[in-house]
Amino acid sequence: MSLRDITADDIESLAVGAWVLGTGGGGNPYLPLLNMRLLYKQGHRVELMEASDLADDDWVGTVANMGAPLVGQERLTDSLTLARAVTVMERHIGQRFAALMSMEIGGANGVRPFMAAAHLELPVVDSDTMGRAYPELQMTSVAVGGLAGDPVSLVDVRGFESIVHKVPSWKWAERIGRKIVTEYGSVAATCQPPRTGAEVKRWGIHGTTTKAIAIGHAVREAQRKHEDPIAAILGVEPGKVLYRGKVVDVERRATEGFLRGRTRFDGTDEYRGAAMEINFQNEWIVAWLDGKPLAMTPDLICVLDSVSGEAVGSETIRYGQRVTVIALPSPPVFLSPKGLQHVGPRAFGYDIEFKSVFA
């Protein structure tokens, strides 16, 4: 087994890159980054491993926060709470985990497995189940693969511990888990259904932590050299610019454990005179240009600060910000007919036939 030491500088880049891959959701990584800085200052270290190095019968814990990103900025989750979500699951299934991994590489959830791993002295697998961030449990590669959607552990800082032990489907896991999270105050630390090494190798989306670190490193280097950070991202990822503009309106509300709403932009530069609106459910879901759908899930819609190149989240976007909207390609698993049933625009209630901006 080959393990890669994750340095403090890697963590800084991971936070920036995971925020880009968050497509507006997954939570702002700044607070998890502060946690990781403290943990590394205290002497903790985390290693990254390839999924191919897992034994087929290894058990892997999938770590994430669940809830509305705006609430996650107000009710802070610390590293010990995430570690407790993992140990609660280990106790429930009667197995010790060989490693942890991200449920979603996007946003704060791309960093959170490292917070738990630092305490539990476990490696983190260079894979996740979304390749980005999505708002619901059934919107994963393992759900597309037909793997079990239970059990799920949910804990919070006040000592609450819940297990969703058995559900008939992933959508029921989402419904029951979301009800618990809402009662907790719209945010909880979770350990998602445990996966075997064989399942991770078959259905994981691989290399995503490395990808996030590479994106973050490109942005930080461009900032240091006073170069264009948007171009730097597109230099390491095969994306395209969709729009440049200024935020002129934001509507959002925390409801049923989600942050929902829309934001509108007026075009700048070559997009002057063109209006864009993006609808979100935690993440950016559909981008409309002059009233017509331009980009949509599962393509990644990334709203970036035009100067810094850093991502702007649905909970942090505000009037007057100047942004560049880019698209990045979806992991292939979500482009299949079954994948689109889970994460295409109709899965979010939009009567739109998916058309990729990369088609």
Side-chain angles (χ1 to χ4, degrees), residues 132-140 143-144 170-171 174-175 178 256 258 260 279-286 296-299 334 336-355:
R132 48 168 293 164
Y134 277 120
E136 300 184 24
L137 295 184
Q138 74 274 12
M139 297 174 176
T140 61
V144 174
W170 278 94
K171 286 193 174 182
E174 165 63 31
R175 289 178 64 179
R178 191 68 55 175
E256 299 178 320
F258 298 107
R260 302 177 189 268
N279 301 138
F280 58 87
Q281 180 183 329
N282 292 3
E283 286 74 36
W284 312 119
I285 303 301
V286 180
M296 64 201 72
T297 175
D299 283 349
F334 296 124
S336 66
K338 187 172 183 183
L340 289 172
Q341 289 177 9
H342 283 257
V343 300
R346 287 193 171 93
F348 293 89
Y350 296 92
D351 189 17
I352 304 171
E353 192 72 28
F354 170 69
K355 181 178 180 181

Side-chain angles (χ1 to χ4, degrees), residues 19 23-24 284 303-305 310-314 316-318 321 323:
W19 200 205
T23 62
W284 312 119
V303 180
L304 310 173
D305 183 281
E310 297 189 19
V312 180
S314 61
T316 59
I317 197 163
R318 66 184 188 279
Q321 283 181 308
V323 302

Side-chain angles (χ1 to χ4, degrees), residues 5-9 11 35-47 114 118:
D5 291 328
I6 295 297
T7 67
D9 190 69
I11 296 292
N35 273 265
M36 290 305 301
R37 286 175 180 171
L38 177 60
L39 288 166
Y40 267 53
K41 185 177 180 179
Q42 293 172 341
H44 295 278
R45 293 294 182 270
V46 184
E47 296 176 310
F114 290 83

Side-chain angles (χ1 to χ4, degrees), residues 20 23 132 230-231 233-234 237-246 265-279 284-290 292-304 306 323-330 354-359:
V20 173
T23 62
R132 48 168 293 164
I230 309 295
I233 294 172
L234 300 180
E237 284 296 306
K240 61 172 58 177
V241 172
L242 300 179
Y243 188 80
R244 291 187 178 89
K246 182 179 74 172
F265 311 86
D266 279 349
T268 58
D269 304 322
E270 68 269 39
Y271 298 93
R272 188 174 299 278
M276 176 172 277
E277 177 179 310
I278 306 182
N279 301 138
W284 312 119
I285 303 301
V286 180
W288 311 79
L289 186 64
D290 292 333
K292 297 180 180 179
L294 172 66
M296 64 201 72
T297 175
D299 283 349
L300 281 68
I301 302 169
C302 307
V303 180
L304 310 173
S306 292
V323 302
T324 300
V325 182
I326 70 168
L328 299 176
S330 167
F354 170 69
K355 181 178 180 181
S356 173
V357 300
F358 300 99

Side-chain angles (χ1 to χ4, degrees), residues 35 65 75-83 115-116 119 157 189:
N35 273 265
N65 257 25
R75 297 190 57 201
L76 312 184
T77 301
D78 66 2
S79 54
L80 287 171
T81 303
L82 285 160
M115 295 164 61
H119 287 291
V157 293

